Amino acid sequence: MIKKIAYTFIIVCCIIVTVGFFRYNPTVIYAEKVPVSAETVIHINLREIEYNILASFLKHPFSQLDFKKQSAAKKEEQRSLLDEIEIPSSVFLYTNQQEFKGFLISSKISVKNNFAEVLKEKGFKEEKSDGVIIYDKQQITCVVSNKEAQVIYKVNKNDKVPHELIEALNKRDYFSEDAEIFINSKKHKSPITFTTTKGDFFKVLVDKGQLNIDGQLNETNDIFLPFKTGFDTNGIAIISGKLNTKKLTKILPENASEKFRKLTTLSLDSIATKWNGAMDFQLSSFVEKSDTIVTYEYDDDFNKVVKKEIQNNITPNIIFNLEGGDLCEYLHKKEVIKQVGGNEVLTLMPLFTTYSFCDKDKLQITSQKQPVLNEMKKLEDKFYFSFNVAQYQAKDRGVYSFKNKYLDRVQVLQLSVANNNQLKGTIKLNNTSKNFFLQVLN
């Protein structure tokens, strides 16, 4: 019996390898995919992703499967959009800062007869314009014409796809097969690559339950300035680095300044001028405190009854250091730093008392009256970000708790930029044995 199972398993694996090999090998077609006006191109190699999942299954077959009991009362299955798409070997996404600004557009995808019907079932609204049919829902817009569709992702869900952009989709001036923007994508066999005409390039690699980003930033538009970063090895969240505030404000959304002003009463441009971009932020822990609240009630005989209630307060233990010669003076002038009970308090944080300490060209913001800065480990990187999601989610954080089905699967998020502009990023999931793409797709 055991031999029979073993032989069956080997035969199945051989079939999977053979089929997978022929599916994995098709040549990626780069021509007629991306218009020459594109400045940023993301290449999603679906065959490479499929191969990555296949390789994980062959190495660790049982850890890739979910043995979950099916519910006795099955709901009526809805039609899937994926069933109405001719899955290509790869998909290109592109944008630029002129005609496509604020939108990320896919290359054309062949669709089946029922694609439009399924879109309507999913809640997409239909609109006809200039020989194409547009389906819109929140941040996703599908433009359908002649059994082909292009997907448009809106950075701001309230934006409407302009008529000029729809017209631009019909232009036939594309990058050629040997265009320079495709060179790195061809050279690096990666599930996902990110390239810009200005010289940025990143590749994405997946190893079991971990996704790694490796690449290079171009120096011309680099927003990270030279800095000596550091971090608390036990910290939950860390951000350390120095930003080019002038370049940063240019790439922010057009309505960012207005939103910032309404939220804080401060001018984003003024902050960018008075802050030199240097910052060290760390969330090291949460402080829990119980207070007894005493109230009085009267019974039916008008006897005074003492009522005690335990109130639990949770405060994040944060330290946020900023640099800028005129920053403290500006915040005092705008009266967002005030004297309260003999302490200087930043009034922008409504959830807990935020103490501020000004020293020459430095501003420290903390949640403790007497902050203790833990020993920092110094790095050679000029920017460092880390968020231990699993540690944050391990306990109930009260009003600071958040739930997200994707983030709940994550153990650690990390991003660093070295002085030579090499960028490295990591998304490590809690389940490190199961393939990253399989977990995201579930």
Side-chain angles (χ1 to χ4, degrees):
M1 182 66 181
I2 295 175
K3 285 185 178 180
K4 186 175 181 181
I5 294 173
Y7 288 145
T8 304
F9 179 74
I10 291 171
I11 292 170
V12 170
C13 287
C14 289
I15 293 171
I16 292 173
V17 170
T18 305
V19 175
F21 175 79
F22 286 109
R23 282 182 59 80
Y24 172 67
N25 262 312
T27 304
V28 175
I29 299 172
Y30 291 85
E32 302 293 310
K33 298 291 183 181
V34 179
V36 294
S37 61
E39 297 170 350
T40 300
V41 177
I42 302 171
H43 178 217
I44 303 175
N45 193 328
L46 297 176
R47 288 292 178 263
E48 188 72 34
I49 293 174
E50 187 179 45
Y51 180 77
N52 186 278
I53 295 173
L54 176 65
S56 295
F57 178 79
L58 292 176
K59 289 178 183 177
H60 309 282
F62 297 108
S63 64
Q64 308 307 308
L65 301 175
D66 286 325
F67 299 98
K68 293 180 180 179
K69 293 181 179 180
Q70 296 290 332
S71 174
K74 290 186 177 180
K75 294 181 180 179
E76 186 179 346
E77 293 184 3
Q78 291 186 339
R79 288 185 290 181
S80 170
L81 278 171
L82 289 177
D83 294 334
E84 301 304 323
I85 295 174
E86 299 289 349
I87 306 295
S89 59
S90 63
V91 174
F92 294 87
L93 304 174
Y94 58 86
T95 188
N96 61 25
Q97 289 297 308
Q98 289 79 44
E99 57 190 350
F100 303 140
K101 186 177 182 180
F103 301 94
L104 193 61
I105 303 158
S106 78
S107 53
K108 292 183 178 180
I109 304 168
S110 297
V111 296
K112 301 177 183 177
N113 293 330
N114 296 325
F115 181 70
E117 291 182 17
V118 178
L119 281 175
K120 291 178 184 177
E121 288 177 5
K122 301 294 181 182
F124 282 79
K125 295 181 180 179
E126 181 182 279
E127 179 186 342
K128 295 182 180 179
S129 174
D130 296 334
V132 299
I133 306 176
I134 302 169
Y135 298 90
D136 187 77
K137 181 183 178 183
Q138 296 178 349
Q139 289 181 268
I140 302 295
T141 298
C142 291
V143 181
V144 182
S145 176
N146 298 325
K147 289 193 175 182
E148 287 185 325
Q150 282 184 274
V151 179
I152 301 174
Y153 174 80
K154 296 178 281 188
V155 175
N156 186 344
K157 67 178 181 181
N158 296 320
D159 286 347
K160 185 172 176 65
V161 178
H163 176 77
E164 292 77 16
L165 190 150
I166 301 297
E167 283 187 335
L169 296 180
N170 295 321
K171 292 180 180 178
R172 298 294 177 181
D173 195 6
Y174 296 105
F175 282 114
S176 62
E177 184 82 19
D178 56 352
E180 187 177 351
I181 200 167
F182 297 136
I183 290 175
N184 282 322
S185 294
K186 289 180 177 181
K187 190 188 301 182
H188 300 273
K189 221 169 196 180
S190 171
I192 303 171
T193 58
F194 176 99
T195 312
T196 72
T197 53
K198 295 174 182 176
D200 303 284
F201 175 73
F202 313 108
K203 61 180 178 180
V204 172
L205 300 172
V206 168
D207 180 19
K208 296 181 182 177
Q210 181 169 307
L211 180 144
N212 299 307
I213 303 170
D214 189 9
Q216 192 78 23
L217 289 169
N218 81 85
E219 294 183 4
T220 307
N221 294 304
D222 182 15
I223 64 169
F224 303 105
L225 297 174
F227 191 72
K228 196 77 172 179
T229 59
F231 70 97
D232 173 12
T233 52
N234 297 316
I236 298 175
I238 300 105
I239 304 174
S240 181
K242 188 174 183 180
L243 304 176
N244 187 323
T245 55
K246 291 181 180 178
K247 289 182 178 179
L248 183 63
T249 52
K250 288 181 180 179
I251 63 175
L252 290 174
E254 293 178 357
N255 59 349
S257 295
E258 184 61 22
K259 286 184 176 180
F260 186 79
R261 187 191 63 78
K262 288 181 178 179
L263 184 66
T264 65
T265 71
L266 301 174
S267 165
L268 189 60
D269 292 332
S270 296
I271 293 289
T273 303
K274 300 176 188 305
W275 172 44
N276 71 5
M279 60 179 174
D280 272 307
F281 169 85
Q282 62 172 304
L283 166 62
S284 56
S285 62
F286 283 83
V287 179
E288 298 185 25
K289 184 181 177 182
S290 297
D291 293 324
T292 302
I293 301 174
V294 179
T295 57
Y296 299 93
E297 293 182 351
Y298 292 90
D299 60 18
D300 295 338
D301 298 323
F302 297 99
N303 296 314
K304 195 175 184 178
V305 179
V306 178
K307 186 178 181 182
K308 294 182 179 180
E309 183 181 349
I310 305 297
Q311 188 177 66
N312 297 317
N313 295 316
I314 301 174
T315 303
N317 187 3
I318 65 163
I319 296 179
F320 193 12
N321 293 314
L322 300 166
E323 293 182 11
D326 300 322
L327 187 57
C328 279
E329 182 183 348
Y330 174 71
L331 295 178
H332 275 106
K333 184 179 178 181
K334 297 296 289 186
E335 297 185 342
V336 295
I337 292 182
K338 295 181 179 180
Q339 282 281 340
V340 179
N343 299 297
E344 286 199 332
V345 175
L346 185 74
T347 60
L348 296 176
M349 178 54 68
L351 296 176
F352 58 90
T353 303
T354 312
Y355 302 94
S356 63
F357 303 88
C358 289
D359 181 19
K360 294 180 181 178
D361 63 342
K362 294 183 179 179
L363 168 64
Q364 186 176 82
I365 301 166
T366 79
S367 57
Q368 307 297 319
K369 281 186 181 181
Q370 296 179 327
V372 178
L373 187 63
N374 296 330
E375 185 178 349
M376 301 287 283
K377 180 179 179 181
K378 291 296 181 181
L379 300 172
E380 294 301 320
D381 300 316
K382 60 181 179 179
F383 181 81
Y384 180 77
F385 163 78
S386 177
F387 181 22
N388 192 325
V389 182
Q391 187 179 351
Y392 188 96
Q393 303 281 58
K395 293 183 178 181
D396 179 18
R397 307 298 183 184
V399 295
Y400 309 102
S401 296
F402 55 84
K403 286 293 178 183
N404 179 283
K405 68 175 183 178
Y406 294 109
L407 207 55
D408 287 347
R409 303 173 185 177
V410 177
Q411 185 180 112
V412 175
L413 296 171
Q414 285 183 329
L415 178 70
S416 65
V417 180
N419 285 301
N420 63 357
N421 279 351
Q422 187 175 12
L423 181 145
K424 290 185 179 296
T426 300
I427 302 175
K428 186 177 181 181
L429 302 183
N430 292 315
N431 185 350
T432 56
S433 60
K434 188 175 179 180
N435 184 273
F436 183 93
F437 292 120
L438 276 178
Q439 294 189 61
V440 172
L441 291 170
N442 285 343

